[in-house]
């Protein structure tokens, strides 16, 4: 597998380089030069395979002989001890539950795979790395859990004090060992600015091998394609075109679905479902891309005004507007519509959806209403467990959502964080000391 920058096709990198560098020097995004196809036999027999068997086949196809197959198998076994099951709401509506990993959001798939494959390369090189990550909520929890206790890896997470939910904060601050949480008296943007400055600081880079675990790392995108194949395997027997509805913010998740399609997964159509941060749905209608400052909503993991994977999404479609429009339809929803959808899904199907999933459900129903009835089987990606958003969800459904023991135990654990101001000198002194 060879990758190159979206800004300059001559700026090449091996997978290992792209993994540890995250971004090419010209600030583009890494894309695979060539996207190989899975075999017809694989698609024909996919319904008989487990998640990890599917992950292995897709990885072997992508990595070719860059990584020995037996090593890829070990990387996958270490990463995934959880599945991505589909639940049928009715004959034409399924949810793909992506919240059965340690932090109970889909970001576990990317974080666990990235941690596992980084460890694999570090075992061989005997290097030590220091991961810095700024989080507004869900990414930090998945990265903390994913890299917890791995040898040769130190993790420092920066989060804005008072601006993440209780459960999210506990996911960052209760692990200890190689994971340290810095609680900043500032905003998410302040956290991100400090991380960016650290990557540019000569002294820090001489002393440490700094790495980033943000969502534009290609190693987070690849494993997210696995569950599109897994979903297809579970709904394939219905014999209808599969429509995937993807609740979206930075558009990494949808890009991974398009990667799966490019590798040969039969996909009928994609829905890009957003909250009021609707730059991509507007782009899909008008052809004009106008990033804006983000606005706060109840589906806060999708509050993104300038999606970091937009360039990648377009590139997968050859930067042709008509090509992307033929495959992706955008819909956006207000918080009121989202709350009503949570209530409606609970009443109609006795199923509790998180706010992000509810946005995806609305997009799926809107698209299916443009088709003849029964023309497709819809799969809405359920991106987080509803108990991560109790304040919103309980009010909408009118009863208390059961909290899984994994999250309940967390709330009783003591928080350990290091309070910090937003000056770079403070942060740097901390890292050096
Ligand atoms: C991160 C996140 C999203 C958005 O995913 P993107 O890949 O950024 O589009 C949606 N829902 C939840 C719960 C998330 O944590």
């Amino acid at each position: 597998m060879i990758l190159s920058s979206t800004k300059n096709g001559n700026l090449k990198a091996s997978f290992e380089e792209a993994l540890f560098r995250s971004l090419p020097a010209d600030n583009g995004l890494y894309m695979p030069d060539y996207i190989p196809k899975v075999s017809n036999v694989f698609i024909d027999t996919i319904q008989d395979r487990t998640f990890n068997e599917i992950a292995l086949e897709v990885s072997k196809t992508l990595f070719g002989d860059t990584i020995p197959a037996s090593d890829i198998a070990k990387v996958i076994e270490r990463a995934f001890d959880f599945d991505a099951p589909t639940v049928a709401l009715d004959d034409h509506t399924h949810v793909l539950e992506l919240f059965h990993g340690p932090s109970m959001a889909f970001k576990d798939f990317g974080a666990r795979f990235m941690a596992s494959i980084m460890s694999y390369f570090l075992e061989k090189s005997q290097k030590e790395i220091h991961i810095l990550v700024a989080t507004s909520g869900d990414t930090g929890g998945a990265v903390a859990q994913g890299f917890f206790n791995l040898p040769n890896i130190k993790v420092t997470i920066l989060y804005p004090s008072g601006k993440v939910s209780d459960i999210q904060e506990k996911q960052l601050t209760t692990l200890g060992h190689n994971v340290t949480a810095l609680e900043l008296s500032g905003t998410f943007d302040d956290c991100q600015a400090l991380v960016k400055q650290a990557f540019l600081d000569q002294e820090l880079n001489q002393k440490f091998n700094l790495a980033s675990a943000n969502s534009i790392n290609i190693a987070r995108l690849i494993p997210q394609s696995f569950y599109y194949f897994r979903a297809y395997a579970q709904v394939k027997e219905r014999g209808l075109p599969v429509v995937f509805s993807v609740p979206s913010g930075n558009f990494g998740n949808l890009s991974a679905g398009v990667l799966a399609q490019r590798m040969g997964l039969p996909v009928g159509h994609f829905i890009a479902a957003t909250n009021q941060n609707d730059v991509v749905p507007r782009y899909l209608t008008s052809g004009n891309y106008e990033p804006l400052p983000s606005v706060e909503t109840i589906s806060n993991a999708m509050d993104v005004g300038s999606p970091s994977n937009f360039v990648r999404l377009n590139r997968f479609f050859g930067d042709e507007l008509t090509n992307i429009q033929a495959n992706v339809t955008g819909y956006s929803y207000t918080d009121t519509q989202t709350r009503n959808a949570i209530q409606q899904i609970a009443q109609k199907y006795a199923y509790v959806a998180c706010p992000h999933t509810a946005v995806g459900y609305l997009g799926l129903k809107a698209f299916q209403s443009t088709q003849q009835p029964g023309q497709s089987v819809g799969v809405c990606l359920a991106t987080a467990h509803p108990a991560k958003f109790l304040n919103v969800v309980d009010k909408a459904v009118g009863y208390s959502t059961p909290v899984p023991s994994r999250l309940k135990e967390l709330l009783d654990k003591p928080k350990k964080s290091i309070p910090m101001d937003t000056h770079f000198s403070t942060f740097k002194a901390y890292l050096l000391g």
Side-chain angles (χ1 to χ4, degrees):
M1 179 186 218
I2 306 284
L3 301 105
S4 57
S5 167
T6 47
K7 284 196 177 156
N8 175 0
N10 294 321
L11 197 60
K12 307 272 184 208
S14 67
F15 174 75
E16 185 175 352
E17 264 176 272
L19 168 68
F20 286 100
R21 293 187 57 116
S22 214
L23 286 179
D26 65 358
N27 251 323
L29 293 177
Y30 283 119
M31 285 288 276
D33 270 1
Y34 165 72
I35 300 175
K37 289 231 180 332
V38 295
S39 71
N40 292 337
V41 176
F42 172 62
I43 295 294
D44 290 344
T45 57
I46 196 166
Q47 65 280 3
D48 304 326
R49 300 178 193 235
T50 64
F51 181 90
N52 283 11
E53 286 165 355
I54 290 171
L56 180 59
E57 186 62 28
V58 175
S59 303
K60 281 198 300 199
T61 306
L62 264 179
F63 289 116
D65 48 16
T66 336
I67 306 174
S70 59
D71 289 352
I72 299 181
K74 278 184 221 145
V75 166
I76 286 168
E77 287 304 319
R78 183 164 54 187
F80 304 119
D81 54 4
F82 49 95
D83 198 357
T86 56
V87 173
L89 298 184
D90 63 33
D91 279 357
H92 299 280
T93 318
H94 293 67
V95 285
L96 172 64
E97 293 189 343
L98 301 175
F99 50 71
H100 294 282
S103 79
M104 310 202 92
F106 82 86
K107 291 188 176 70
D108 286 326
F109 286 90
R112 288 282 287 233
F113 182 82
M114 185 174 172
S116 182
I117 203 156
M118 269 190 167
S119 309
Y120 163 73
F121 285 115
L122 291 174
E123 280 156 20
K124 293 203 304 183
S125 67
Q126 294 298 317
K127 263 196 316 200
E128 244 184 61
I129 60 163
H130 193 147
I131 291 184
L132 302 180
V133 63
T135 185
S136 58
D138 273 344
T139 295
V143 168
Q145 301 269 353
F147 289 83
F148 177 58
N149 255 344
L150 292 182
N152 302 326
I153 301 181
K154 243 178 106 169
V155 181
T156 302
I157 301 172
L158 291 78
Y159 75 98
S161 183
K163 296 195 174 60
V164 302
S165 78
D166 284 356
I167 283 180
Q168 286 173 331
E169 182 170 42
K170 289 294 173 81
Q171 285 184 327
L172 310 175
T173 56
T174 55
L175 287 171
H177 294 276
N178 62 331
V179 178
T180 309
L182 304 182
E183 181 174 357
L184 258 76
S185 54
T187 63
F188 168 67
D189 292 334
D190 294 324
C191 298
Q192 198 156 32
L194 290 190
V195 170
K196 278 197 180 144
Q197 210 172 334
F199 280 106
L200 297 173
D201 188 273
Q202 267 196 348
E203 194 182 352
L204 288 177
N205 280 284
Q206 268 161 12
K207 188 135 190 241
F208 307 109
N209 292 310
L210 296 180
S212 146
N214 56 9
S215 71
I216 47 199
N217 196 304
I218 190 77
R220 279 185 55 177
L221 195 82
I222 289 170
Q224 290 176 207
S225 70
F226 304 158
Y227 49 70
Y228 285 88
F229 285 93
R230 176 77 178 122
Y232 174 81
Q234 294 172 86
V235 301
K236 177 187 172 189
E237 64 173 8
R238 306 212 25 92
L240 290 168
V242 183
V243 172
F244 286 103
S245 182
V246 189
S248 295
N250 270 318
F251 284 82
N253 211 356
L254 181 55
S255 297
V258 179
L259 171 63
Q261 184 187 37
R262 293 282 311 275
M263 290 185 73
L265 180 72
V267 174
H269 203 72
F270 289 106
I271 311 300
T274 72
N275 56 32
Q276 287 306 89
N277 296 282
D278 60 350
V279 262
V280 172
R282 279 191 289 112
Y283 165 74
L284 289 169
T285 317
S286 69
N288 298 323
Y289 182 62
E290 295 162 316
L292 291 169
S294 63
V295 296
E296 262 184 57
T297 75
I298 56 167
S299 47
N300 60 3
M302 311 199 296
D303 293 351
V304 180
S306 173
S308 55
N309 274 291
F310 179 74
V311 169
R312 199 176 250 154
L313 181 66
N314 271 295
R315 189 57 59 88
F316 275 126
F317 289 108
D319 294 317
E320 289 276 344
L321 180 63
T322 48
N323 195 8
I324 181 166
Q325 283 171 329
N327 287 280
V328 186
T329 303
Y331 295 98
S332 66
Y333 297 96
T334 63
D335 280 354
T336 303
Q337 289 172 309
T338 307
R339 285 197 186 88
N340 289 342
I342 297 173
Q343 184 183 37
Q344 192 196 335
I345 299 164
Q347 278 170 358
K348 198 166 170 192
Y349 304 114
Y351 187 87
V352 182
C354 89
H356 312 80
T357 307
V359 168
Y361 171 85
L362 286 171
L364 179 61
K365 289 296 122 184
F367 178 76
Q368 285 181 321
S369 73
T370 67
Q371 299 182 301
Q372 298 290 339
Q375 290 283 296
S376 65
V377 53
V379 176
C380 171
L381 275 60
T383 48
H385 192 286
K388 288 189 93 173
F389 307 91
L390 282 182
N391 299 350
V392 176
V393 171
D394 284 0
K395 255 188 229 134
V397 299
Y399 52 80
S400 302
T401 314
V403 179
S405 54
R406 183 181 290 166
L407 294 182
K408 226 186 285 168
E409 285 160 16
L410 215 53
L411 288 172
D412 297 330
K413 286 193 188 161
K415 151 183 158 182
K416 270 183 239 139
S417 69
I418 300 176
M420 196 167 281
D421 63 41
T422 57
H423 297 294
F424 182 66
S425 54
T426 316
F427 178 50
K428 181 171 171 177
Y430 165 79
L431 289 175
L432 290 170

